[in-house]
Amino acid sequence: MEWLVVVLNFIGQQILNVPAYLIGIITAIGLMALRRSAGQVIGGGLKAALGFLILGAGANVVVGSLDPLGKLILEVTGAQGVIPTNEVITALAAEEYGATSAYVLVLGFIVMLLLARFTPLKYIFLTGHHMVFMSLLLSVVLTVGFGEEFSWLVVIIGAMLLGVIMVVMPAFAHPWMKKITGDDTIAMGHFGSAGYIAAGAIGQATGGRSRSTEEIKFPKGLSFLRDSMVATALSMVLIYMVFAIWGLIVDPAATAELLGGDDAGATIMAGFALALQFGVGVAVILYGVRTVLGELVPAFQGVAEKIVPGAKPALDVPIVFPFAANAVLIGFISSFVGGLVSLVLLAIWLNPMFGLALILPGMVPHFFTGGGAGVFGNASGGRIGAALGGFVNGIIITILPAILLLVLGEFGFANSTFGDADFGWFGSLVGLSVIGPTGLGVVLCIVLSLVLVAGASIFQKKVVDTGWVPGAKRDAFLAEKKEQPTH
């Protein structure tokens, strides 16, 4: 059976773990289902894969720009605590639980396809690295809960849970996705969805008369800010300059080392270059998204028609960024502020009272999930929704990782935790379910899965399929106001 572990590990780590390969394969299968020529199949699959690689390259540029800024903020403020990092805890867990997670990953993907085929939840989750993260989280929690002697049970229950969460969360997020994209072709496939849904709900509740972030009117002299790439880069320049100057005042040597400057002037310009690099990364991401959508969506019709009728691809969060570029920036900044407020709350109250760890705001998770939350909040609540939605997301991705850390702390990973919202709530619920006897843990995990699938199916039929539109009253009010004559 060792060869089977090797094969499954190869499929899980080298193919399913690489979103570009997965997207390319799905695109090629879809084109074959549509009876395209061999050249069109190969070309379409490669172009879709290249588009996702372009998206990933842009994400790497953004991460490379934000990482020094995050370290600089910690340096100048003297904050101490845990920065949630999916990649770090995954690397720690993979050494011991990698083989189990490979089984969970592959079988979980099959469970997802079966659920998409035979339930109303017609979503195919295609964000490969998040599949890997969730499979490892479930493998760790279930192995420690059930015991290593029940590895077969870990695989079965883990695959069930993974398949369930991959079809359930896109369903709950889909009304906002339809509003954002203007059609029903793609879904959200990212395990920060609880934050996005909360942002959309906050926008629905608070932004009844707020205009879209994309309608922000700049003075004539600032008309260049209409270009989202310019506005994004300029905003990061201002943020970088503030902390670079602050750092040079507080600790010049450490600031120069972090930013890569030899003296004060070189350090300032190094920060300026990193800020511009951020703008470049965002532009690359947007281009990659457009390339992927141009190939994947038409090809996916073949998959939907032949394999899972009516299925929609659930894609990574940057897929929504081009639809509201201003909202991405507003959501990012608001999420970071929410993280800072939550850190104070943890330090003053939740840490002393409940022992929750201090979760420091990481720039990377706040950019990607905060940006997504801004887009969701804007869809139903305009500028107010984008700002408050991003803020709420910042609270969620601070508090939930702190709670998850209590569960993971029991499992030997007390110095790290997963950062995005769905890892927090789902991992904590599964962890609490398997604390007791094995039989009870299995029953609770099955009940959790059934409740999620049933709830999402009802939501799909009663809300998504009936055409509920988030922010419809706001849209009607703004349309009516626009039609009123001006005097």
Side-chain angles (χ1 to χ4, degrees):
M1 291 296 289
E2 187 175 343
W3 65 271
L4 183 58
V5 174
V6 173
V7 171
L8 291 175
N9 190 61
F10 175 81
I11 294 173
Q13 296 296 327
Q14 304 303 324
I15 297 178
L16 296 182
N17 189 29
V18 182
Y21 298 164
L22 191 59
I23 292 293
I25 291 169
I26 293 294
T27 301
I29 291 173
L31 292 172
M32 285 189 288
L34 291 172
R35 301 183 183 277
R36 297 292 189 262
S37 67
Q40 290 174 315
V41 170
I42 294 171
L46 282 175
K47 192 171 182 181
L50 288 172
F52 230 88
L53 288 173
I54 291 170
L55 192 157
N60 289 335
V61 172
V62 167
V63 170
S65 170
L66 291 178
D67 188 56
L69 179 60
K71 293 177 180 177
L72 178 61
I73 292 173
L74 298 184
E75 183 69 31
V76 299
T77 59
Q80 298 293 326
V82 175
I83 300 179
T85 310
N86 295 333
E87 291 77 9
V88 170
I89 191 168
T90 297
L92 290 173
E95 294 183 11
E96 186 174 349
Y97 301 95
T100 302
S101 71
Y103 282 115
V104 170
L105 180 62
V106 174
L107 293 179
F109 194 83
I110 295 172
V111 171
M112 175 193 68
L113 291 176
L114 291 173
L115 288 171
R117 180 67 179 83
F118 297 109
T119 73
L121 308 176
K122 307 296 184 182
Y123 304 98
I124 308 296
F125 194 99
L126 295 177
T127 307
H129 61 293
H130 266 229
M131 295 183 202
V132 173
F133 296 160
M134 186 63 80
S135 67
L136 271 164
L137 170 62
L138 293 172
S139 297
V140 171
V141 173
L142 294 174
T143 298
V144 176
F146 293 154
E148 294 185 4
E149 66 273 18
F150 290 105
S151 57
W152 59 273
L153 188 59
V154 170
V155 171
I156 294 172
I157 299 298
M160 176 190 69
L161 291 167
L162 179 61
V164 165
I165 197 69
M166 288 196 294
V167 295
V168 162
M169 295 315 295
F172 285 128
H174 204 57
W176 289 274
M177 282 297 291
K178 290 200 294 184
K179 179 71 178 292
I180 290 165
T181 62
D183 56 38
D184 197 23
T185 56
I186 59 174
M188 174 54 62
H190 189 268
F191 288 135
S193 293
Y196 311 143
I197 295 166
I202 289 294
Q204 174 86 7
T206 61
R209 300 188 176 188
S210 179
R211 294 188 178 276
S212 170
T213 57
E214 309 314 293
E215 297 178 21
I216 294 176
K217 294 182 179 180
F218 298 101
K220 199 168 185 180
L222 298 177
S223 59
F224 64 92
L225 291 176
R226 293 179 184 273
D227 188 318
S228 61
M229 184 168 64
V230 173
T232 300
L234 184 58
S235 300
M236 287 306 297
V237 166
L238 294 175
I239 294 172
Y240 247 109
M241 291 303 98
V242 168
F243 283 101
I245 293 171
W246 186 0
L248 287 171
I249 295 172
V250 175
D251 192 339
T255 302
E257 182 180 351
L258 285 172
L259 298 184
D262 297 326
D263 53 37
T267 301
I268 292 292
M269 291 311 298
F272 181 79
L274 285 168
L276 295 185
Q277 179 180 310
F278 176 87
V280 171
V282 172
V284 173
I285 286 174
L286 300 184
Y287 177 74
V289 167
R290 287 191 291 270
T291 303
V292 171
L293 290 181
E295 297 298 324
L296 177 65
V297 173
F300 204 83
Q301 294 173 357
V303 177
E305 292 171 5
K306 303 294 183 180
I307 303 174
V308 184
K312 302 169 187 65
L315 304 174
D316 203 352
V317 66
I319 212 75
V320 302
F321 288 2
F323 295 96
N326 292 340
V328 173
L329 184 60
I330 293 171
F332 164 43
I333 295 172
S334 300
S335 181
F336 186 73
V337 173
L340 291 176
V341 171
S342 302
L343 175 60
V344 173
L345 185 65
L346 284 169
I348 294 176
W349 176 44
L350 296 175
N351 176 265
M353 288 291 292
F354 302 103
L356 294 183
L358 300 183
I359 303 297
L360 303 178
M363 298 298 287
V364 173
H366 280 288
F367 171 71
F368 286 104
T369 67
V375 176
F376 271 65
N378 176 66
S380 56
R383 302 165 194 177
I384 293 174
L388 291 180
F391 184 82
V392 168
N393 177 79
I395 295 174
I396 288 173
I397 68 169
T398 303
I399 302 299
L400 286 181
I403 296 173
L404 179 61
L405 197 59
L406 291 177
V407 177
L408 293 176
E410 297 293 324
F411 304 148
F413 296 102
N415 292 326
S416 188
T417 184
F418 289 90
D420 301 330
D422 297 341
F423 296 112
W425 72 264
F426 193 58
S428 297
L429 285 179
V430 174
L432 291 173
S433 299
V434 300
I435 286 177
T438 300
L440 178 61
V442 170
V443 171
L444 290 176
C445 286
I446 293 173
V447 169
L448 174 62
S449 298
L450 292 174
V451 168
L452 288 174
V453 171
S457 297
I458 293 171
F459 185 84
Q460 179 71 35
K461 289 183 176 181
K462 301 292 186 181
V463 179
V464 180
D465 293 344
T466 57
W468 176 69
V469 179
K473 289 185 179 179
R474 165 181 164 270
D475 295 341
F477 170 80
L478 293 178
E480 182 181 347
K481 188 174 180 180
K482 191 175 182 179
E483 292 175 359
Q484 291 176 353
T486 56
H487 300 284

